[in-house]
Amino acid sequence: MTTQQGVAVSDDQNTLRAGANGPALMEDFHFREKIFHFDHERIPERVVHARGYGAHGYFELTDSLADVCKADIFRNVGERTPAFVRFSTVAGNKGSADVVRDVRGFAVKLYTKQGNWDLVGNNIPVFFIQDAIKFPDFVHAAKQAPDRDFPQAQTAHDNFWDFVSLSPEATHMVCWAMSDRAIPRSFRFMEGFGVHTFRLIDDEGRSTYVKFHWKPKLGLQSVVWNEALKINGADPDFHRRDLWQSITSGNFPEWELGVQLFDDEFADSFPFDILDPTKLIPEELVPVRRVGRLVLDRMPDNFFAETEQVAFCTQNVVPGIDFTNDPLLQGRNFSYLDTQTKRLGGPNFTHIPINAPKCPFHNFQQDGHMAMHNPKGRANYEPNSWSQPAGGPRESADGYRSYPDTVSGQKVRQRSESFADHYSQARQFFISQTPVEQTHMRDAFVFELSKVETPAIRARMVSHLLHVDRGLAEGVAKGLGLSPLPAPATAARPVVEGLPPSPALSILKNGPDSFTGRKLGIVVTNGVDATLLAALRDAAENADATVELIAPTVGGLKDSAGHDLTAQQKINGGPSVLYDAVALLPTVEGANALRHEATMRDFISDAFAHAKFIAHNDAAEIVLAAAGLHPKARDSGVIAVHSAQDAARFIQTCGALRLWEREGHVHAV
């Protein structure tokens, strides 16, 4: 052990004193340095996206885009590009919980041969506002009220709903936020979107519009709201732990990169403005072409050095990728550089290894706080007349060139009329959901607006929902006890009610077809049937799912064959909300003891209420009955298992993830 100056430390346990009981001495440079550094460990957390988690990986091209894009990353099939990805919530502070109802950030830094490209998106393809000038107002409204500093990491309060109910442009995004998209089961099971329309530029300088999508290999999956509330109590780090365990166990998460490509002719004929960030382009109109895969295969060596200090900027693009005049994107290009400079202490945040390009880079930028490298030699400007290498870097004919878009117009503060339809796509999103998902949306609106203390705000929001779907508005009003219905809000443009449903917008229509990547929780007691336990474990592992044991104690267990068992969770610390499906394998003696355990009854009743599949042996009848699940109260999702064949069938059944028809009988969402 040494000091920061490299001096060996002889004693790191005691400060230097004048006698064993005397005062500390100011000359103790080791203590001074150590406590000084500790006092300065924290840097400002991000204003938004403060709660985040990241991982390293790579992007591999599988389908060349060389016909429409000159970027090197899109030319050579099979070539891998290093990547760093940070997932995050938006509204909550750094210490908030993972499974809150919120948008999730999906930011990807790609270290290409031509420089860093940051695709800074979300798990939802649209946003709340159209112009970046409203971003401070939106964020202020969503976060804690300034006079009381609560509520934390949630939008169920007056300020948020006051703002969005006065901002009709937010209606589409609010519908997404009240859908199950805002409570994902795992980072691994959610989509990512670039949100904005960008340009791809080819070798001849021609432009093609593009929207970027990340499609999870394991399909889409979310939790239900009652489950989310309990997960946050049981494990506030649920999403972090899931990603960590997945990667460190070798089950590397993977997404496909998809692109929607279109031209000016389509843009001119599309009913909405392609530059409007509150709108999307349905995949049924412009199919997503899958061109590569993103694999996360390594966790950071140090969270602070990498995940906390990584600086994403939407302005970071490479030759072949360009911006459009999306007003939110234009504002983000300005804001991100500014916020990273403030948060990381100065302009040299690009010198931090996680932010530095992996390709050669040269310029005349110099000095500033914590400069790690400066220009060498006498030349620190250009043009200069010095010969090489003394003259330093020069402009390149292959350097970045912006697309020469023709623009004209008066200098005005004005929103384009083509941005004025605020309800039609919100309606399309709602009718694209399954009945189960529509019910979840209605219940989410009721939950959130029930926390709003001002009746006028609740009524104003319902007046917008009348343009989305009358049944939705009536259901929300009923849940709020709001009568009579308010008049519909004034629409700047008539609602287009003929837009067809888009199946791609539904989670349940795009879920997995297997239990792969999911987690089975098995309740065991001392003396558990070794054969049946092994059968369930084997069936789950054959499906590439993971298994955890939950028991009255984490140690001191044996199975019926005398083998030692170690449980991963104690029954009162491992509730069923942590698992995608559960199995109950107690002995008769163990079941008789557990039937008096309140958390065991909660384990079962929650699993049932959340529509999960439940396997059980004969002895588990005792705890099932104690939880109120007598045979007549059960359905096809409560499955008896006695053999290896039963275990295999159960895991296969679990591929559906939930028995949603149960929700009509057990209301817990």
Side-chain angles (χ1 to χ4, degrees):
M1 177 184 289
T2 71
T3 68
Q4 294 278 32
Q5 309 304 320
V7 178
V9 174
S10 63
D11 185 342
D12 191 45
Q13 315 308 317
N14 305 286
T15 54
L16 186 66
R17 302 184 182 92
N21 293 319
L25 300 180
M26 289 183 65
E27 71 180 67
D28 189 350
F29 60 85
H30 172 50
F31 167 72
R32 166 73 171 144
E33 179 193 84
K34 183 177 180 180
I35 202 72
F36 168 83
H37 195 281
F38 172 76
D39 291 342
H40 293 79
E41 283 180 357
R42 293 294 172 264
I43 64 174
E45 69 174 38
R46 293 164 170 87
V47 178
V48 287
H49 297 276
R51 174 77 175 180
Y53 211 55
H56 294 272
Y58 61 86
F59 171 76
E60 181 180 356
L61 189 68
T62 57
D63 180 14
S64 176
L65 285 173
D67 57 325
V68 292
C69 184
K70 64 181 180 181
D72 181 78
I73 191 175
F74 288 138
R75 299 186 77 87
N76 303 311
V77 171
E79 187 168 277
R80 292 184 176 183
T81 300
F84 187 83
V85 178
R86 186 178 185 270
F87 305 104
S88 56
T89 55
V90 173
N93 295 344
K94 186 179 174 183
S96 56
D98 278 350
V99 193
V100 295
R101 180 176 294 282
D102 199 355
V103 187
R104 297 305 188 282
F106 196 126
V108 183
K109 186 179 288 290
L110 294 154
Y111 303 92
T112 85
K113 294 178 179 179
Q114 297 173 298
N116 289 355
W117 172 34
D118 292 354
L119 184 55
V120 194
N122 291 325
N123 73 323
I124 291 174
V126 294
F127 201 63
F128 292 95
I129 56 175
Q130 294 173 328
D131 192 308
I133 199 171
K134 298 308 298 174
F135 194 72
D137 300 294
F138 162 68
V139 173
H140 289 169
K143 293 178 79 71
Q144 304 101 296
D147 58 346
R148 63 205 69 185
D149 200 42
F150 67 80
Q152 160 73 265
Q154 54 185 302
T155 55
H157 58 91
D158 286 58
N159 280 9
F160 174 80
W161 288 100
D162 186 39
F163 177 84
V164 297
S165 66
L166 292 170
S167 307
E169 68 199 69
T171 305
H172 188 193
M173 179 62 168
V174 167
C175 288
W176 281 80
M178 295 301 105
S179 78
D180 292 344
R181 296 273 183 161
I183 42 175
R185 154 67 175 83
S186 164
F187 299 137
R188 299 178 294 129
F189 309 145
M190 70 183 194
E191 284 183 286
F193 302 90
V195 179
H196 310 286
T197 299
F198 292 85
R199 293 181 185 272
L200 298 182
I201 311 300
D202 69 10
D203 290 319
E204 306 302 320
R206 294 183 294 256
S207 166
T208 301
Y209 292 117
V210 60
K211 281 186 172 289
F212 295 104
H213 299 245
W214 296 108
K215 299 287 188 180
K217 181 180 178 181
L218 294 174
L220 300 177
Q221 183 185 350
S222 290
V223 297
V224 296
W225 181 234
N226 180 269
E227 183 182 12
L229 295 174
K230 294 176 178 178
I231 289 173
N232 286 332
D235 185 4
D237 303 305
F238 185 70
H239 285 159
R240 291 182 170 204
R241 195 182 312 277
D242 175 86
L243 189 66
W244 174 276
Q245 290 178 341
S246 176
I247 291 176
T248 56
S249 65
N251 296 312
F252 302 141
E254 184 174 330
W255 292 260
E256 289 182 292
L257 176 63
V259 292
Q260 286 180 296
L261 303 175
F262 54 98
D263 56 18
D264 284 300
E265 182 179 357
F266 173 86
D268 292 340
S269 64
F270 187 56
F272 309 98
D273 198 315
I274 64 161
L275 302 181
D276 183 349
T278 69
K279 305 297 187 296
L280 54 81
I281 300 177
E283 295 181 25
E284 292 76 16
L285 282 182
V286 179
V288 174
R289 175 179 167 185
R290 305 191 185 207
V291 299
R293 65 190 192 111
L294 174 69
V295 179
L296 300 183
D297 59 3
R298 180 169 64 87
M299 296 303 301
D301 294 325
N302 181 272
F303 175 87
F304 179 85
E306 298 167 81
T307 306
E308 189 64 16
Q309 290 195 125
V310 68
F312 294 94
C313 296
T314 56
Q315 68 178 41
N316 291 349
V317 293
V318 295
I321 300 170
D322 203 353
F323 313 113
T324 61
N325 293 332
D326 176 331
L328 183 60
L329 175 59
Q330 296 283 320
R332 291 179 78 196
N333 286 346
F334 178 88
S335 176
Y336 277 56
L337 178 61
D338 193 47
T339 194
Q340 304 299 3
T341 303
K342 165 69 175 177
R343 192 174 66 85
L344 296 172
N348 291 318
F349 64 84
T350 55
H351 297 193
I352 300 171
I354 191 66
N355 296 319
K358 298 186 184 299
C359 65
F361 56 97
H362 317 277
N363 54 60
F364 288 125
Q365 296 170 17
Q366 67 176 38
D367 303 347
H369 284 290
M370 303 299 175
M372 297 294 106
H373 43 77
N374 268 352
K376 295 181 180 180
R378 70 185 301 171
N380 60 355
Y381 61 92
E382 68 85 27
N384 64 62
S385 61
W386 310 114
S387 59
Q388 295 300 333
R394 294 290 191 263
E395 297 167 345
S396 170
D398 297 325
Y400 189 91
R401 294 180 184 273
S402 297
Y403 179 72
D405 191 21
T406 300
V407 294
S408 63
Q410 295 178 325
K411 189 187 297 184
V412 295
R413 292 186 182 272
Q414 186 176 317
R415 198 77 56 92
S416 171
E417 278 295 316
S418 58
F419 281 39
D421 185 336
H422 303 313
Y423 302 116
S424 298
Q425 284 208 343
R427 174 178 174 77
Q428 183 178 36
F429 176 72
F430 182 76
I431 66 173
S432 299
Q433 308 304 300
T434 65
V436 166
E437 292 168 305
Q438 290 180 347
T439 298
H440 292 176
M441 285 180 63
R442 179 201 68 202
D443 292 344
F445 273 110
V446 171
F447 177 91
E448 296 261 324
L449 292 171
S450 293
K451 301 291 185 179
V452 172
E453 298 173 358
T454 308
I457 297 175
R458 299 196 294 260
R460 193 188 308 139
M461 193 62 228
V462 172
S463 75
H464 293 294
L465 296 181
L466 284 164
H467 291 301
V468 177
D469 182 84
R470 187 171 185 85
L472 171 63
E474 289 175 346
V476 172
K478 181 179 179 181
L480 295 172
L482 176 63
S483 181
L485 277 175
T490 301
R493 280 191 173 183
V495 179
V496 180
E497 297 189 354
L499 297 178
S502 171
L505 302 182
S506 163
I507 291 176
L508 297 186
K509 294 175 183 176
N510 295 276
D513 55 5
S514 74
F515 202 55
T516 299
R518 274 65 184 179
K519 183 181 287 189
L520 173 68
I522 305 178
V523 175
V524 299
T525 59
N526 197 45
V528 60
D529 186 322
T531 302
L532 191 53
L533 176 60
L536 268 173
R537 275 179 153 167
D538 289 345
E541 289 168 5
N542 288 339
D544 290 326
T546 57
V547 172
E548 282 191 354
L549 300 185
I550 307 103
T553 59
V554 294
L557 299 170
K558 292 184 181 292
D559 64 20
S560 61
H563 301 129
D564 290 330
L565 294 176
T566 298
Q568 285 70 49
Q569 299 283 356
K570 193 175 185 298
I571 189 64
N572 61 4
S576 61
V577 295
L578 302 181
Y579 306 102
D580 297 293
V582 298
L584 311 173
L585 302 183
T587 61
V588 172
E589 180 182 1
N592 276 315
L594 285 175
R595 70 189 177 94
H596 301 293
E597 174 64 56
T599 51
M600 182 70 249
R601 298 194 296 272
D602 288 345
F603 186 99
I604 296 169
S605 60
D606 279 346
F608 190 76
H610 301 150
K612 294 178 182 178
F613 292 99
I614 304 171
H616 67 91
N617 63 6
D618 290 340
E621 293 285 353
I622 298 168
V623 289
L624 287 167
L629 274 186
H630 300 281
K632 289 186 179 179
R634 300 175 200 168
D635 53 33
S636 60
V638 183
I639 301 169
V641 292
H642 301 98
S643 65
Q645 291 79 9
D646 290 342
R649 280 194 292 269
F650 173 72
I651 296 300
Q652 185 175 11
T653 301
C654 289
L657 299 184
R658 306 290 173 108
L659 186 67
W660 292 116
E661 63 191 56
R662 186 185 294 160
E663 280 197 345
H665 308 285
V666 181
H667 190 75
V669 295

